[in-house]
Amino acid sequence: MSVLICGGAGYIGSHNVRAFLNHGEDVIVIDNLVTGHKQSLPESVKFYEGDIRDGKILDEIFTQNNIEAVIHFCAFSLVGESVEQPLKYFDNNVGGMISLLESMQRNNVKKIVFSSSAAVYGEPERIPILETDPTNPTNPYGESKRIMEKIMHWVSLQHDIRYVSLRYFNVAGAWHDGTIGEAHNHETHLVPIILQVPLGKREKVTVYGDDYNTPDGTCIRDYVYIEDLAHAHLLALEYLRNGGESQIFNLGSGDGYSVMEMINAARKASGHEIKLEIGKRRAGDPARLVADSSKAREILKWQPKVTSMEEIISTAWRWHKSHPNGYDA
Ligand code: NAD
Ligand code: UFG
């Protein structure tokens, strides 16, 4: 039986495709390539170019293949853009989820692993954050992810579908051999932005505020290595295969690092000086976001292996140095 990876040509999806293949899974990918790259996929993978809001193509995929489970990465995920164009986000993210669950129902597919986000929590009331803490998203992107979780919840109660929702914190790094990595045309994430300086694509990094209530004044985040994150999806699928009930899990390393600490780690990883300037705060950035991932460790037996920031950034550096223009190189 096969696993359908929706959004498998994106940053996180493509690393999951590799991890699933290495684990001996039979993988099928659907992606509309809006932000994904076909070149990130091995040629051997069966690929459908299409939009998951199109129920016809989903039905075709489910009919032509013997699919046991869906791993769902499709989404728009730029927080700022979601504030400016909320309907674009609800249409793609929520609309995509509804279309996917409808087709799963029609085709008797019962398991789904879903990419949720720390953005569902909004400004946290305490650190580290537990799955049971309040969810008050502060932007349409986070709201769309929370709505998608709720839709899965109600559908799972009425129909025989079980889900695992994985709330990622900050995902970083690249496949260890540097052959695939993060390649967003509109890049907002800290690690690739920092590395644009040693790549000669940007003169300096702008640190968004150094007046937060943190030891060095810059924001603290919980960075999780992409291969460790991908492994959690395999464990989540195994959990569902073993009859596990629907669950939500935080995925983070449990340690927080400041923007300044990340820049210093990137200096060591790249061997470059990396200039910075202190800029204004970015609207909507919480001072600290750190996960309590003990539930994933206990139930899924998930154990992140790469937790040194220098090591994580070294993998990203290997990818960016060898692909300075991403997949267009
Ligand atoms: P990405 O943009 O690289 O990947 C998303 C993929 O889905 C792309 O290949 C895109 O072309 C495809 N896609 C989008 N809408 C589609 C649709 N309607 N039909 C078919 N394909 C579609 O993003 P990413 O960074 O790999 O993130 C993957 C998932 O993880 C997203 O759901 C995102 O919200 C979530 N997430 C990411 C992070 C992070 O740090 N990168 C953190 C939390 C959650
Ligand atoms: N930052 C800078 N300068 C930059 C870019 C980022 O100082 O040029 C800072 C941000 O202010 C933040 C930290 O670096 O403090 C990390 O920023 P990212 O944009 O890399 O990541 P976010 O923490 O904003 O976003 C992540 C995920 C989102 C998710 C969000 C939940 O990437 O998908 O966490 O809040 F929605």
Side-chain angles (χ1 to χ4, degrees):
M1 289 189 90
S2 311
V3 175
L4 176 64
I5 303 197
C6 301
Y11 166 48
I12 298 174
S14 59
H15 288 74
N16 271 271
V17 169
R18 287 272 177 109
F20 274 68
L21 290 173
N22 287 356
H23 193 248
E25 300 284 349
D26 190 39
V27 168
I28 292 162
V29 171
I30 176 169
D31 198 298
N32 62 5
L33 302 178
V34 192
T35 54
H37 308 270
K38 177 114 195 310
Q39 307 93 300
S40 69
L41 295 171
E43 287 197 352
S44 58
V45 166
K46 192 165 179 185
F47 176 70
Y48 290 83
E49 184 170 344
D51 195 302
I52 59 160
R53 287 166 295 181
D54 174 1
K56 270 196 200 135
I57 192 172
L58 289 179
D59 285 349
E60 206 177 292
I61 297 173
F62 287 125
T63 312
Q64 288 172 359
N65 304 281
N66 190 8
I67 291 171
E68 174 208 4
V70 171
I71 318 288
H72 179 25
F73 297 101
C74 299
F76 290 142
S77 56
L78 299 174
V79 169
E81 187 185 67
S82 79
V83 175
E84 284 155 20
Q85 301 179 59
L87 291 175
K88 175 175 171 181
Y89 277 67
F90 291 120
D91 178 25
N92 193 46
N93 299 2
V94 178
M97 176 61 96
I98 293 171
S99 161
L100 185 57
L101 289 172
E102 281 174 343
S103 184
M104 284 173 65
Q105 232 171 281
R106 280 194 296 273
N107 293 281
N108 221 20
V109 178
K110 304 288 190 189
K111 306 180 198 80
I112 176 167
V113 178
F114 167 63
S115 303
S116 188
S117 166
V120 300
Y121 295 109
E123 186 73 48
E125 283 177 11
R126 61 168 177 182
I127 296 292
I129 304 171
L130 273 170
E131 290 85 352
T132 44
D133 284 354
T135 49
N136 294 306
T138 50
N139 53 67
Y141 165 66
E143 190 79 77
S144 74
K145 290 282 168 176
R146 187 64 188 119
I147 293 170
M148 291 156 91
E149 286 184 339
K150 287 186 175 172
I151 291 173
M152 286 192 301
H153 167 71
W154 291 111
V155 170
S156 74
L157 292 185
Q158 194 55 34
H159 305 279
D160 185 22
I161 288 177
R162 285 171 301 123
Y163 68 88
V164 167
S165 180
L166 300 173
R167 291 179 177 166
Y168 316 155
F169 281 63
N170 289 60
V171 188
W175 196 258
H176 59 272
D177 64 3
T179 49
I180 54 172
E182 192 164 2
H184 293 132
N185 288 336
H186 181 75
E187 193 52 79
T188 59
H189 288 148
L190 180 65
V191 170
I193 285 179
I194 295 174
L195 293 176
Q196 284 173 359
V197 182
L199 278 179
K201 297 190 151 217
R202 143 190 322 260
E203 196 205 327
K204 57 194 170 207
V205 192
T206 304
V207 176
Y208 296 147
D210 68 348
D211 57 351
Y212 286 93
N213 185 17
T214 59
D216 66 21
T218 65
C219 287
I220 290 179
R221 293 287 181 273
D222 182 338
Y223 295 87
V224 54
Y225 178 51
I226 183 82
E227 286 193 36
D228 285 326
L229 185 93
H231 188 231
H233 293 72
L234 278 163
L235 295 173
L237 178 58
E238 228 28 69
Y239 166 83
L240 290 174
R241 279 177 176 155
N242 290 334
E245 60 184 27
S246 297
Q247 289 281 3
I248 295 177
F249 296 101
N250 282 341
L251 293 183
S253 68
D255 286 319
Y257 293 89
S258 72
V259 175
M260 286 306 302
E261 286 174 319
M262 293 302 282
I263 294 172
N264 283 329
R267 286 173 171 151
K268 287 191 192 140
S270 68
H272 287 255
E273 183 206 346
I274 309 187
K275 282 192 195 156
L276 62 84
E277 67 174 0
I278 305 297
K280 281 195 278 191
R281 287 183 176 201
R282 186 171 68 177
D285 270 344
R288 285 173 201 259
L289 282 176
V290 179
D292 182 327
S293 303
S294 41
K295 185 177 169 188
R297 287 167 202 252
E298 278 158 29
I299 298 180
L300 298 180
K301 309 285 177 233
W302 181 61
Q303 184 62 53
K305 290 199 180 101
V306 182
T307 52
S308 136
M309 294 306 109
E310 197 180 323
E311 223 179 303
I312 293 177
I313 297 172
S314 292
T315 64
W317 179 234
R318 196 169 298 139
W319 151 253
H320 288 295
K321 215 171 32 168
S322 55
H323 300 78
N325 300 311
Y327 292 101
D328 300 331

